[in-house]
Amino acid sequence: HPEPVSGYALPSYHYTVEPKAKQKLTAEQRKFYEENGFLVIRNLVPKSEKRFEKICRREVEVPGMTIMRDVAIAKSEFVPDEKAVTKIQTWHTDEVLWEFCCLPQLSSRHPMHQDLYYFPFRPVDRIVCAWTAMEKVNRDNGCLVVLPGTHKGELLQHDYPEWEGGVNKMYHGVRDYKQDHPRIHLEMEAGDTVFFHPILIHGSGANRTNGFRKAISCHYSTGQCHFVDLKGTVQEKIEDEVLELAEKKTGIPKTQIKYEDIWKFRSRIVKGTRSWDEMEANSN
């Protein structure tokens, strides 16, 4: 909270923290994020999609990476190509894709959801998503849809939506929210990036074109974030589902796997140190 200057109080920001020496956003941009929970920065990063294409064609093998196939495509029609891939997860182990996360500037339909639902760490206001369009996205090919201001609410109950054709694994959606809440479709050009709060309700529509809707997203958090116990919370369902998947992949009983360890594996340091790294070092 800034100190008053000459008897006048400067704006107080709840959702953003920005050192004076490295100011990146204008007062107007910070105010917009405070009120709406998202902010689009045009032409922020260079366009790059060759690595994505190679991974989809299995020309590149990355240890630990998960390539998710669209459930709407029958197994008999599957070929290792972009059209069959809905999302690539755990891509932080690929050094080429990881470069996106370290830039200094900085799919398929998904039901309306809140990203915090998947995260076992806090504080919530020190987590942000950066979603970058790799090519033009609009309502025809399934651009992001956001519900402005919902970041000021609470984490809601999630579950699988009852969609015709089914929905991809772990694509949970918010069960109860105001359907008549104003919504904005974020049409973006290649290189445009939207930053949004982890409680902001958002989703993406189906791609109704013959082309693609490519985007790359990553989440940033302060190095001082800490893990929390999800037992008895609305997040317990997704925790259990992720642990079941980990058990199938590793052969290790899920009772011996910690959800927080999965997120430690899925994360990398952009700069600085992580609080849990320091705690583990001190305990050894």
Side-chain angles (χ1 to χ4, degrees), residues 25 29 47 65 78 161-162 165 178 190 197 203 206-207 223 240 269 284:
L25 301 177
Q29 289 173 322
K47 181 181 179 182
M65 180 178 287
F78 175 76
E162 298 175 355
K178 295 181 179 179
H197 191 277
N207 185 352
D240 190 61
I269 299 175
N284 293 329

Side-chain angles (χ1 to χ4, degrees), residues 223 225 227 264 267-269 272-284:
C225 274
F227 289 103
K264 288 178 182 179
S267 66
R268 291 180 65 175
I269 299 175
T273 59
R274 297 180 296 193
S275 58
W276 58 79
D277 288 337
E278 295 176 346
M279 288 188 291
E280 289 177 353
N282 293 332
S283 63
N284 293 329

Side-chain angles (χ1 to χ4, degrees), residues 83-99:
K83 293 182 179 179
V85 176
T86 181
K87 181 184 288 188
I88 295 177
Q89 291 186 318
T90 322
W91 51 263
H92 68 284
T93 55
D94 182 77
E95 295 302 326
V96 176
L97 293 181
W98 176 248
E99 291 179 5

Side-chain angles (χ1 to χ4, degrees), residues 60-114:
V60 176
E61 293 293 335
V62 182
M65 180 178 287
T66 300
I67 301 177
M68 299 183 67
R69 182 176 64 85
D70 196 332
V71 296
I73 298 177
K75 292 183 178 180
S76 60
E77 301 174 356
F78 175 76
V79 292
D81 187 70
E82 296 173 80
K83 293 182 179 179
V85 176
T86 181
K87 181 184 288 188
I88 295 177
Q89 291 186 318
T90 322
W91 51 263
H92 68 284
T93 55
D94 182 77
E95 295 302 326
V96 176
L97 293 181
W98 176 248
E99 291 179 5
F100 273 89
C101 289
C102 299
L103 288 171
Q105 305 95 313
L106 237 111
S107 32
S108 67
R109 60 180 179 169
H110 197 302
M112 302 300 283
H113 65 285
Q114 298 164 298

Side-chain angles (χ1 to χ4, degrees), residues 95-146:
E95 295 302 326
V96 176
L97 293 181
W98 176 248
E99 291 179 5
F100 273 89
C101 289
C102 299
L103 288 171
Q105 305 95 313
L106 237 111
S107 32
S108 67
R109 60 180 179 169
H110 197 302
M112 302 300 283
H113 65 285
Q114 298 164 298
D115 286 349
L116 185 66
Y117 175 68
Y118 297 91
F119 304 153
F121 43 87
R122 302 292 189 273
V124 58
D125 293 333
R126 296 299 171 256
I127 305 169
V128 67
C129 176
W131 193 99
T132 301
M134 298 172 68
E135 60 186 10
K136 183 180 180 66
V137 293
N138 52 36
R139 297 186 68 167
D140 291 331
N141 64 5
C143 65
L144 283 184
V145 181
V146 299

Side-chain angles (χ1 to χ4, degrees), residues 249-260:
K249 279 194 169 188
T250 65
I252 302 173
K254 67 177 185 179
T255 54
Q256 299 179 21
I257 305 174
K258 292 182 179 180
Y259 191 45
E260 66 180 59

Side-chain angles (χ1 to χ4, degrees), residues 11-82:
S12 178
Y13 299 103
H14 181 74
Y15 300 104
T16 61
V17 175
E18 193 165 30
K20 293 182 179 180
K22 297 182 179 180
Q23 290 183 339
K24 300 290 184 181
L25 301 177
T26 65
E28 290 76 14
Q29 289 173 322
R30 294 185 71 180
K31 181 179 179 182
F32 186 91
Y33 188 90
E34 288 286 317
E35 296 177 352
N36 297 282
F38 72 95
L39 178 66
V40 177
I41 305 295
R42 302 294 179 183
N43 197 30
L44 182 65
V45 299
K47 181 181 179 182
S48 176
E49 58 185 64
K50 296 300 181 183
R51 188 68 168 184
F52 178 84
E53 295 170 359
K54 289 182 179 180
I55 291 173
C56 290
R57 292 196 297 267
R58 305 284 185 174
E59 295 176 9
V60 176
E61 293 293 335
V62 182
M65 180 178 287
T66 300
I67 301 177
M68 299 183 67
R69 182 176 64 85
D70 196 332
V71 296
I73 298 177
K75 292 183 178 180
S76 60
E77 301 174 356
F78 175 76
V79 292
D81 187 70
E82 296 173 80

